[in-house]
């Protein structure tokens, strides 16, 4: 795919190990500007090679003066790019530019009143002189770099922001990317639009037009296959590719036996009715479940599922040609609904840590026969939903809760067997029914239902002792799956769910609630 045709020049978010690096990237995109994340280990040459329009330096948990703490690589601030430093990134800028950073013993955490000077700088234009900011720091910039104006102060911090309009270099001690800083988005908007001079061209219409061009450039008149899972990502990817190349595309739904109740029907009926694409279904449940036999390690399960997906699509490709479902010869391209969070969590290609290998990124076999078409690879989930609506997909598909490509295989902690799949499928169906009945589908981002297959506990059912499995409910609220908090579901709904599962699924005698945010936990358990 021609990347230059598909994406504009980026604002690069340089990640110093921040909890909120992905959130910064999202906020930049909300300002109508394309962004990407890159590791702090990237050199000035690496940065320049990406041809960015501006840089944002993220926060981080370290102290800039401690040995081994992340640094900004030499020469980056001399590239002539507009730069905004945030928290740790602000302190890194200060030291790099000749300012002074130290620990005065005064810390600021949480909501903090800051005094800014809107008349002195466009960074705070249109904002009140006193505003609430969200702080998280123990170190302070004690002296601004030479030639820089002090733009904000707090009761404990004499230099809470600084800047040089001449050099387009600015920094703030607080976190403008979080909602707890009420004027944070305005700070980012002012930096991007008024200081860096960037327009608001990044939106779903722009992405659709650019990706249609890129898809056509990549595949030419070749035959293309799309692996449909029934989820939002693959559905939007298929609709976009179909809009670009029409009947060159055949969608393949591989029923891997790891689906939830009713998902095959939704794909075979609802999606085809909405798009008019050609769909062929292959039943591979026995093969997938067999390949997972005896495997409990989550990374290994993901890689096995990714491998079997590709092998299934290779078999499907041959079968499609042989059965004349497609004309003109070999299928050379495979469409995947890979998203930017998948790429970031799988290592990102830019020095970011591997959180887990997504089956469609880190789990693909090296000898794969297809060239990948991944038109959503640079997008977050909410951007994909907006694109789906723009493409005319019905809300039943666009608004569907995220469901991982590896399916229930990674919601079973332990070995995957047919019996365990049946248990989890039954419990999951109850949870979804009761959430819909309670009107919670829009409030909750997703609710993974997890079977702790290798854990048993004593219970009492029907006046007798049981030794059954626990089911974990994981309701979360999120914007893009990069960060999430657990959803405070009504107790009466939880009670109904628990009663139904323990009454209707005999192998389960305990239902528990996961109340962990992300970070530190991931949304899926495996």
């Amino acid at each position: 795919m021609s990347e230059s045709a598909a994406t504009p020049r980026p604002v690069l978010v340089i990640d110093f190990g921040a909890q909120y690096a992905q959130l910064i990237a999202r906020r930049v995109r909300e300002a109508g500007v394309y962004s990407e994340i890159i590791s702090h280990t990237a050199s000035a040459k690496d940065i320049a090679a990406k041809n960015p329009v501006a840089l944002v330096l993220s926060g981080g948990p370290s102290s800039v003066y401690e040995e081994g703490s992340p640094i900004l690589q030499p020469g980056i601030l001399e590239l002539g790019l507009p730069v905004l430093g945030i928290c740790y990134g602000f302190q890194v800028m200060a030291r790099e530019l000749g300012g002074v950073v130290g620990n005065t013993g005064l810390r600021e955490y949480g909501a903090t009143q800051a005094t800014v000077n809107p008349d002195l700088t466009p960074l705070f234009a249109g904002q009140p002189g006193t505003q609430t900011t969200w702080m998280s720091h123990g170190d302070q910039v004690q002296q601004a770099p030479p030639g820089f104006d002090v733009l904000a102060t707090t009761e404990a911090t004499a230099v809470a922001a600084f800047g040089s309009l001449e050099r387009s270099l600015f920094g703030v001690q607080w976190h403008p990317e979080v909602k707890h800083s009420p004027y944070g988005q305005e700070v980012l908007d002012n930096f991007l639009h008024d200081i860096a001079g960037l327009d608001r061209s990044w939106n779903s219409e722009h992405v659709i037009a650019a990706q249609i061009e890129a898809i056509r450039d990549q595949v030419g008149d070749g035959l293309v296959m799309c692996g449909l899972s029934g989820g939002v990502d693959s559905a939007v990817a298929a609709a976009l590719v179909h809009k670009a190349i029409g009947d060159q595309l055949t969608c393949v739904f591989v029923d891997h036996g790891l689906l939830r109740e009713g998902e095959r029907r939704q794909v075979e009926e609802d999606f085809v009715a909405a798009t008019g694409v050609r769909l062929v279904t292959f039943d591979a449940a026995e093969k997938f479940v067999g390949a997972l036999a005896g495997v409990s390690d989550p990374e290994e399960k993901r890689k096995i599922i990714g491998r079997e997906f590709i092998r299934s699509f290779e078999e499907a490709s041959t079968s499609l040609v042989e059965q004349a479902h497609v004309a003109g010869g070999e299928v050379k391209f495979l469409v995947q609904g890979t998203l930017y969070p998948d790429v970031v969590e799988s290592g990102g290609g830019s020095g970011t840590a591997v959180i887990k290998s997504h089956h469609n990124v880190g789990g693909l076999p090296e000898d794969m026969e297809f060239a990948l078409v991944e038109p959503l690879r640079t997008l977050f989930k909410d951007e994909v939903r907006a694109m789906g609506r723009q493409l005319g997909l019905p809300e039943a598909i666009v608004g569907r809760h995220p469901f991982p490509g590896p399916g229930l295989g990674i919601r079973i902690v332990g070995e995957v067997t047919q019996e365990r799949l049946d248990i989890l499928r039954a419990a999951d169906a109850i949870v979804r029914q009761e959430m819909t009945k309670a009107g919670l589908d829009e409030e909750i981002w997703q609710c993974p239902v997890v079977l702790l297959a290798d854990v048993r506990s004593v219970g009492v059912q029907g006046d007798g002792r049981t030794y059954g499995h626990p089911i974990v409910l994981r309701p979360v609220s999120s914007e893009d799956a990069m960060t999430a908090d657990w959803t405070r579901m009504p107790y009466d709904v939880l009670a109904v769910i628990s009663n139904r599962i323990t009454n209707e699924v005999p192998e389960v005698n305990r239902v528990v609630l996961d109340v962990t945010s992300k970070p530190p936990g991931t949304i899926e358990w495996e």
Side-chain angles (χ1 to χ4, degrees), residues 428-472:
D428 176 88
I430 291 170
V431 174
R432 288 190 290 146
Q433 290 165 11
E434 294 302 329
M435 282 175 45
T436 299
K437 186 185 298 183
L440 296 174
D441 287 342
E442 292 186 9
E443 178 181 338
I444 296 175
W445 167 268
Q446 68 182 115
C447 185
V449 180
V450 180
L451 173 65
L452 302 185
D454 292 339
V455 176
R456 288 180 179 271
S457 65
V458 173
V460 179
Q461 292 170 296
D463 295 327
R465 179 185 185 276
T466 61
Y467 196 49
H469 298 288
I471 283 286
V472 180

Side-chain angles (χ1 to χ4, degrees), residues 114-118 124 126-131 183:
T115 300
V116 306
N117 191 336
F124 301 128
Q127 301 171 38
T130 300
Q131 58 183 260
Y183 294 94

Side-chain angles (χ1 to χ4, degrees), residues 372-394:
L372 292 179
V373 179
E374 297 179 307
L376 312 181
R377 189 179 175 89
T378 60
L379 304 181
F380 289 99
K381 178 74 76 172
D382 60 321
E383 295 171 320
V384 172
R385 293 192 197 279
M387 179 184 288
R389 294 183 177 100
Q390 191 74 30
L391 290 167
L393 291 178

Side-chain angles (χ1 to χ4, degrees), residues 269-434:
E269 297 177 14
D270 297 351
F271 181 75
V272 173
T275 61
V277 302
R278 179 170 50 222
L279 175 68
V280 178
T281 300
F282 285 84
D283 194 335
E286 187 175 336
K287 181 173 71 170
F288 274 78
V289 176
L292 291 167
V295 179
S296 296
D297 179 74
E299 275 289 286
E300 186 65 21
K301 283 199 284 189
R302 286 177 177 273
K303 291 179 178 179
I304 288 171
I305 292 169
R307 181 195 72 209
E308 293 303 323
F309 260 124
I310 296 302
R311 297 297 173 243
S312 295
F313 290 134
E314 289 169 351
E315 292 175 20
S317 171
T318 301
S319 178
L320 288 175
V321 174
E322 290 175 350
Q323 298 175 32
H325 286 296
V326 297
E330 182 182 4
V331 177
K332 295 182 179 180
F333 299 95
L334 175 65
V335 178
Q336 290 198 144
T338 307
L339 302 191
Y340 195 47
D342 300 341
V343 176
V344 171
E345 289 192 341
S346 297
S350 299
T352 52
V354 176
I355 306 302
K356 55 188 176 185
S357 296
H358 287 260
H359 76 287
N360 55 347
V361 183
L364 299 177
E366 295 181 0
D367 59 346
M368 182 175 64
E369 297 178 0
F370 300 107
L372 292 179
V373 179
E374 297 179 307
L376 312 181
R377 189 179 175 89
T378 60
L379 304 181
F380 289 99
K381 178 74 76 172
D382 60 321
E383 295 171 320
V384 172
R385 293 192 197 279
M387 179 184 288
R389 294 183 177 100
Q390 191 74 30
L391 290 167
L393 291 178
E395 195 61 31
I397 293 175
V398 176
R400 184 177 184 269
H401 282 189
F403 185 60
L408 299 180
I410 59 166
R411 291 184 176 176
I412 295 174
V413 179
E415 180 187 2
V416 176
T417 67
Q418 190 59 55
E419 179 187 9
R420 291 173 172 182
L421 285 167
D422 292 340
I423 294 170
L424 180 53
R425 191 174 288 116
D428 176 88
I430 291 170
V431 174
R432 288 190 290 146
Q433 290 165 11
E434 294 302 329

Side-chain angles (χ1 to χ4, degrees), residues 118-179:
D119 298 326
L120 185 61
T121 171
L123 190 66
F124 301 128
Q127 301 171 38
T130 300
Q131 58 183 260
T132 299
T133 62
W134 191 259
M135 294 283 191
S136 181
H137 68 102
D139 300 331
Q140 295 179 347
V141 176
Q142 298 170 300
Q143 183 178 324
F148 280 68
D149 296 317
V150 176
L151 304 177
T153 61
T154 71
E155 184 176 343
T157 304
V159 185
F162 60 57
S164 167
L165 186 59
E166 180 183 358
R167 299 179 64 181
S168 296
L169 301 178
F170 291 84
V172 296
Q173 181 60 70
W174 62 90
H175 289 273
E177 72 274 19
V178 302
K179 295 296 187 184

Side-chain angles (χ1 to χ4, degrees), residues 36-51:
E36 293 181 4
I37 301 168
I38 193 168
S39 171
H40 68 274
T41 59
S43 67
K45 182 178 180 181
D46 296 330
I47 298 288
K50 285 186 168 289
N51 196 24

